[in-house]
Structure formats: structure tokens, C-alpha cells
């Protein structure tokens, strides 16, 4: 089975970026495979130790190969400490991007661990990338070093909200602050492909995040996006969208739809608000439960229930955000992630690569565009 | 003490709107006072019974007079049932706006209970308005029937978030979906006046809701608003703003600033997300606590702590949203409000009127504009 639908990329782009230096160290021959996941071992508050531990834990559950990019002298002893992991490899990257660096780092650091991970995709060696580095730097680096898929203007960031029975995907959660209305239709297609690939939802329902339930509600962007999403089939091309209309901030966790589309500004504010409120509720709860002796005794009876609740509100369980619409999916784990979260993000990257999400996005965005371009 | 800073309005606007019908029934002579609060008795899911009960409860704590607008035949028996309330009166309004009606109702219903409440302000008889009706209809009616204060382009909706030690004001929470950057500076001035009047904060810190902490982060609107808010004194005029820079969605409940400024689209999404997430956390908690027999027993020990938590997350305690920037403050209670919430909203309206918030806003926005208009 061919897991990576793209043909290997020509190397011109790469050679230009590596600044005419020494040739790129090759991935060990036995690992050169289309099911390879490139992991930025140097990105994250607890990198590289926790990232290496998470990658090895994920590799033990996967038939995929994992390549860690970073400084070999640092990574080798960390890897050795984890015991045997025949499907985990190292590709050197001398440089790394600090957590407080933003988008500019993508230009300044062509040999950073995240840039090298993207280069493995460009060479056709890796099918997906995972990083727990600074989101701004990862998005900028990936946009610069990876090609967008046909029909995608800009990639978007998708996050998974812990709704039940099925999770809800929020897209864009922060990649593009000022998109055009047409791009929200692309985001819908990306989100649908994600819901299908990661959660097996056959025909995901799509909602538009706005204020007020009626079609005419919202700002200019949302009102125009509503019109475009309502077209069946979409005038811009692509497969039909199962558009369920407007949703509001209160619907993010209500499981009304499978995919919630919005601009990156609103999406990021909503996501951070959601996380902040969940954290606030949890800390208030701890105070309320710890306040009196009787309440503390009561807590003993409830430990299991509370642990389950905390797990559901814990982003680590959900693997991280996915940057969709490029020639490879880039999974971005939370910067504060430990081994467990890093492993979840690696598993998500492998799931998306194995589920051929890139091919699915091509299908969703592709054929109808040509049809519509006929004179 | 003069409680209502505005001179009585000329009646031309009013006469035009009442469609040339019979003269407006006067407020009882003994109640004609500048400390009068007009209460839309017909707005809200549980109107008029719960609104009347709430208004009477508030009136017992106030020296202000309260005028209920609505159908006298319905209101009189409800009022009688509440016992003696010498400072509560009725002004007839034959029409009312249903909860599912939107902004168009402001044109269609010049004799609605909310329109009549606004007319009492235009006549200089009332200092503030309270309604639990449809937010869209109230905002549109108030915008049409009340004059904006000098320097205010459009009024904005302020809500109070339950942070500690001091509450945080979010403005605009949904009045204007597509404001100009300059209007966000006005929102900041309105929010400052609110924080000073309602919570006695001398020099409120103002934050701009955006994505990312650095000045250059956000969408075009937020980036330009950041520049304008950073000007000291503001180029557009008005008193200096104590601008603390960008805040993110996760800071809404973090008590980092006293006033959070944003456009009405983002603000409404953030507010609904916050409410939705708090509700989600509470329902998850109930499930977690009710899941096992041991957990249920534990709950008995914690009832008081949980009640306190629920109270903090309960919007009713906070009185409702305030539409700021018009010649009178309009307090908008949640549509589902019961007597307790209606009373809290009446008390907030009285607090703002007694604290002369309108005069304070004039001060904050006024003098420097003339200074800057010099050639």
C-alpha cells in the first residue's frame, strides 16, 4: 500500500535553502519509506527529552518509522535511554527555534529542526511532521517550505474539541487572521477531510461560527462565507459540503456539527477562551472542594469521576492541532507537552498519513475546479 | 443632587414616532424625577410576572422610582400581588416585541414596551432603561430612539465577567459586528467609565482582545486598534487610556486587566464560548459526581462549595449587559431571567444612573476632541 500520495519532490527548492552547504545527511536506508513521520525533537518547553520519550512510545505502537530531527549528540543518549526502538532514527539539524521566536524564525533558521523536518517531506521521504515548538514559527516554516495542495490558498489550523459522542473540529484556529470568505470554504473542505480521516465520519456536518442563528447574522466575512458555504455544489469547485448553517460560541462543545469553520482570529480567540474557561472552572472546583474539611472528605469518594473529567478537558489526550492543506500534514503539539502528549501527537500524525488525508483533500478540492474552469 | 445630567429632550422625535396618535400617557406626577428607571415589563421569557416581581424587589432596596412599561391590564394585578411598592409605577405600552423578533422590530413597533421605555428617556423623565427582551431588538430600538453621546459613533454592549478580586468588563459583546478601529478606542472609554462607576476602580487597566501577546499580532482591525489605544493622549481626543496591551482569550477570566476591548463579533463569540464552556464543565461535573454511589455520597459533603461555584458562574448574579454610549444606559438582562436576575438588572441600572455614568462618559470623550479640532 502506498501511504504517501505525493511523488517525491524535485530538490531545487531545498538546495537553495540549505545555503550551498554540505549535502543533507540521509535518512538511514532501511527507514526510507513513505510511511515515515518526521518529528522535530528540539521544539517544545520540555524538548528534547520528553519529545524523544513520546516518539519512542508512539513508535512502539506503530509500523511507521519515526525520524527525530535535532542535534545528534543530544538525541543519541536520550534515545539510548529509552531502550530498543528499531523504527526510530535521527537526522541531524544543527539549529533549533526557541519557544519565544515567532514567524521570522522560518527565514532566519533554514537548518532548524523544524525546517529539516519539512525538508524530509519535500524530498518525499516523510509523510507527516510533528512539532511541539512555537506555533507561529511552525506555521511560517511549513508555509515557506511545503507546497500548498491544489485549490488551497493558505493552510489552516484544525483543533479537535472534546465533544461527545463524536469530537468536533474547529478550523481555522489561528493560521490566518484575515482570510477572504472564499478561504472559509476551503477550510470547510479541509475540516471535512480531517473528520473523515481521523474519526471515520462519512458525511461530516459543517457549521459556520458566527453570532446569531439566522443566515444574515454576523460580520461581513461571516455573512459572505455563509452564502458561499450554502452553494450546492460549491461555485469555487470541489465536492458538495453538508452545510448545517450558523453555530454560535455556545455550540463549540454542544456537538451540533462535526466541523466548525471560522477565520483564524475568531477561531484562536474562541479556542483560548474555551481553554481558559475550562481551566478557570477546574481551579474554582478545586477551591470549592478543598474549602472545608467535610468537602475534602467528600473528594475522596469522587477521585475517579474527577480524573475522568480532567482527562476530557486535557488537551494532551487529543494529540494537538493539525496544519492542513499542505503537501504533508503538520501536527502541532502544545508547547508544554510531556511524553504522553508528544506520543499522542505522533500517533495523530501517523493516523492522518496512513489515512491518506492529503489524497482525500486533493479529491475534495480537485476535480470540480477543472470542470468549472471550462470556458 | 441632580441624578440625570441630560437636559429634557425636545419632543419632536417622539411625536413623529408615535404616529400622530393620542398623547403619551404621563408618568404619575409624584414619580416624575430624574432618578427614574424605566423597566420594559413585557420583555423576557418569563415576562411580565418575573420582571414585575424583580422590579418590586429592586424598588424596595432603592430610593429610585421604577416605571414599568407594558399593558396596564396585565401589569396592575401582578403589581398588586407583590404588595405595597409606592415607588413602582406603570406607563401603558399596548404593543410588545416577541423574544424571537430581531432588529426590525424597532421600526415595526413604535408603541412596544421597550420603545415606550426609551421614550421616557427622550422626554428626560427616565435616567436608565432595563429590559430582558431580545438583545437585537433592544439594541436596535435604543439606537433608533436614543441619541448617542458626543464622540460616540455607535453604542457598545458591555458585560461583566466574574473575575476576582475585581470583575472584568468585556466591551463590545455584540452590538457592532464590523466596527472601525477608531470605535474600539471609544469602547475603551465607555468601558473605563463603566468600571469606574459600577466598581469604583480609579484608573482601570485596558487590554485589547487579540491573538498573541506582541503589538503586531492579530487581524488588521486589532493591529490598528492597538496603535490607536497606545497613543497617549489619544489622537481622537478624550482622556488618557491606561492601556496594558494585548490580552488573549485565555485572559478573559484571568483578571489581568479591568476592561477588555474588542469588536462585537469577536466579543460575542468569546462571551458565548465562555458561557458554553462553563455550562459544559458544570454538566460534566454533575455526571462525574453522580456516576457512582460513592461519588454521590461524597457530593453530600460538598453541597455548599458547589453552590458557591455555581453562583460565580451564574450570569444572573451580575445583572446583565449594559448598552453604553447613549443618552441613557440600557441594561439588558438575559432573556431567561427570573425575578432575582431582573432585580439585579434593575439595581445595576440604578447604580449606573446614580453614579452618573453618562456624565462620566461625556467627560472622558468630550473636552480633548475640541482641543484637537483646532486648525
Amino acid at each position: 500500500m502506498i501511504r504517501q500520495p505525493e511523488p517525491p519532490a524535485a530538490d531545487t527548492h531545498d538546495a537553495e535553502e540549505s545555503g550551498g552547504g554540505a549535502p543533507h545527511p540521509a535518512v538511514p536506508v532501511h527507514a526510507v519509506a513513505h510511511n515515515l513521520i518526521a518529528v522535530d525533537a528540539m521544539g517544545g518547553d520540555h524538548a528534547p527529552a520528553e519529545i524523544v520519550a513520546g516518539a519512542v512510545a508512539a513508535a512502539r505502537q506503530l509500523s511507521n518509522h519515526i525520524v527525530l530531527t535535532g542535534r545528534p549528540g543530544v538525541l543519541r543518549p536520550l534515545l539510548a535511554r529509552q531502550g530498543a526502538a528499531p523504527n526510530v532514527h535521527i537526522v541531524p539539524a544543527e539549529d533549533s527555534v526557541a519557544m519565544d521566536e515567532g514567524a521570522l524564525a522560518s527565514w532566519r533558521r533554514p537548518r532548524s529542526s523544524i525546517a529539516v523536518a519539512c525538508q524530509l517531506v519535500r524530498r518525499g521521504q516523510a509523510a507527516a511532521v510533528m512539532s511541539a515548538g512555537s506555533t507561529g514559527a511552525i506555521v511560517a516554516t511549513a508555509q515557506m517550505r511545503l507546497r500548498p495542495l491544489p485549490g488551497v490558498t493558505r493552510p489552516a489550523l484544525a483543533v479537535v474539541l472534546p465533544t461527545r459522542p463524536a469530537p468536533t473540529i474547529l478550523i481555522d484556529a489561528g493560521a490566518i487572521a484575515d482570510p477572504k470568505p472564499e478561504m472559509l470554504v476551503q477550510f470547510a473542505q479541509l475540516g471535512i477531510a480531517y473528520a473523515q480521516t481521523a474519526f471515520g465520519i462519512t458525511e461530516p456536518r459543517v457549521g459556520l461560527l458566527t453570532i446569531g442563528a439566522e443566515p444574515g447574522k454576523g460580520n461581513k466575512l461571516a455573512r459572505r462565507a455563509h452564502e458561499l458555504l450554502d452553494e450546492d455544489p460549491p461555485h469555487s469547485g470541489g465536492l458538495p459540503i453538508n452545510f448545517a448553517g450558523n453555530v454560535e460560541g455556545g455550540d463549540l462543545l454542544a456537538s451540533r456539527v462535526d466541523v466548525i469553520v471560522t477565520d483564524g482570529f475568531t477561531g484562536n480567540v474562541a479556542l483560548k477562551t474555551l481553554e481558559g474557561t475550562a481551566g478557570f472552572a477546574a481551579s474554582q472546583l478545586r477551591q470549592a472542594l478543598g474549602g472545608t474539611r467535610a468537602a475534602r472528605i467528600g473528594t475522596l469518594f469522587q477521585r475517579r469521576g474527577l480524573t475522568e473529567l480532567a482527562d476530557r478537558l486535557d488537551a494532551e489526550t487529543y494529540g494537538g492541532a493539525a496544519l492542513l492543506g499542505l503537501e504533508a500534514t503538520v501536527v502541532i503539539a502544545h508547547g508544554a507537552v510531556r511524553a504522553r502528549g508528544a506520543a499522542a501527537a505522533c500517533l495523530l500524525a501517523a493516523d492522518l498519513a496512513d489515512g491518506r488525508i492529503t489524497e482525500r483533500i486533493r479529491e475534495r478540492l480537485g476535480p470540480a475546479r477543472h470542470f468549472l474552469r471550462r470556458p
Side-chain angles (χ1 to χ4, degrees), chain A residues 149-164:
Chain A
L149 292 172
V152 176
T153 313
R154 294 269 295 272
L157 209 52
V159 294
V160 176
L161 306 176
T163 52
R164 294 217 173 145

Side-chain angles (χ1 to χ4, degrees), chain A residues 90-103:
Chain A
I90 294 172
V91 161
E94 301 77 35
D95 204 359
S96 58
V97 175
M99 289 307 284
D100 57 358
E101 288 186 272

Side-chain angles (χ1 to χ4, degrees), chain A residues 248-335:
Chain A
E248 298 191 74
D251 298 322
L252 286 175
L253 295 174
S255 204
R256 281 191 50 208
V257 295
D258 303 300
V259 176
I260 295 177
V261 172
T262 186
D263 64 276
F265 185 83
T266 308
N268 191 271
V269 168
L271 178 66
K272 296 274 174 70
T273 300
L274 194 153
E275 292 172 348
T277 308
F280 179 83
S283 76
Q284 291 297 308
L285 182 68
R286 271 193 297 276
Q287 277 181 31
L289 296 186
T292 63
R293 188 159 170 277
R296 276 198 299 276
I297 294 167
T299 308
L300 296 176
F301 292 94
Q302 302 175 339
R303 196 157 287 170
R304 189 171 304 169
L306 290 177
T307 307
E308 275 174 27
L309 172 64
D311 268 357
R312 290 205 48 200
L313 297 174
D314 174 4
E316 287 219 5
T317 322
Y318 282 85
L323 187 69
L324 301 176
L326 298 173
E327 57 188 315
T329 300
V330 181
V331 172
I332 305 176
H334 195 282

Side-chain angles (χ1 to χ4, degrees), chain A residues 129-140:
Chain A
V129 172
M130 193 292 273
S131 177
S134 138
T135 302
I138 298 169
V139 171

Side-chain angles (χ1 to χ4, degrees), chain A residues 107-130:
Chain A
W107 281 271
R108 288 196 194 123
R109 308 201 181 280
R111 297 297 304 148
S112 70
S113 49
I114 177 65
V116 169
C118 290
Q119 281 157 16
L120 290 172
V121 170
R122 287 281 300 175
R123 288 221 173 71
Q125 289 176 317
V129 172
M130 193 292 273

Side-chain angles (χ1 to χ4, degrees), chain A residues 5-235:
Chain A
E6 289 81 34
D11 228 329
T12 48
H13 185 53
D14 223 359
E16 183 186 40
E17 280 163 23
S18 58
H24 197 293
V27 178
V29 174
H30 64 279
V32 175
H34 289 306
N35 67 347
L36 191 146
I37 312 298
V39 172
D40 166 13
M42 311 305 282
D45 297 337
H46 306 292
E50 298 282 331
I51 306 298
V52 171
V56 170
R60 294 210 170 105
Q61 299 180 49
L62 291 170
S63 63
N64 306 60
H65 286 266
I66 288 183
V67 167
L68 304 168
T69 62
R71 289 170 57 199
V74 178
L75 297 182
R76 252 183 236 119
L78 290 170
L79 197 51
R81 204 182 298 163
Q82 298 294 323
N87 55 340
V88 181
H89 319 277
I90 294 172
V91 161
E94 301 77 35
D95 204 359
S96 58
V97 175
M99 289 307 284
D100 57 358
E101 288 186 272
L104 281 176
S106 56
W107 281 271
R108 288 196 194 123
R109 308 201 181 280
R111 297 297 304 148
S112 70
S113 49
I114 177 65
V116 169
C118 290
Q119 281 157 16
L120 290 172
V121 170
R122 287 281 300 175
R123 288 221 173 71
Q125 289 176 317
V129 172
M130 193 292 273
S131 177
S134 138
T135 302
I138 298 169
V139 171
T141 304
Q143 282 188 335
M144 193 174 113
R145 290 175 196 280
L146 301 176
R147 285 171 300 205
L149 292 172
V152 176
T153 313
R154 294 269 295 272
L157 209 52
V159 294
V160 176
L161 306 176
T163 52
R164 294 217 173 145
T168 302
I169 291 162
L170 177 70
I171 184 169
D172 174 27
I176 309 139
D178 283 299
K180 303 275 174 233
E182 292 72 22
M183 291 162 72
L184 268 65
V185 180
Q186 298 171 11
F187 299 170
Q189 298 285 21
L190 298 175
I192 291 169
Y194 191 12
Q196 290 175 331
T197 312
F199 307 115
I201 302 166
T202 317
E203 203 183 348
R205 297 157 298 162
V206 174
L208 174 69
L209 184 59
T210 182
I211 60 177
E214 304 83 27
K217 290 298 181 76
N219 58 9
K220 277 181 210 159
L221 175 70
R223 292 201 303 272
R224 179 65 185 139
H226 187 107
E227 291 172 1
L228 296 172
L229 285 164
D230 221 14
E231 291 169 349
D232 187 16
H235 283 189

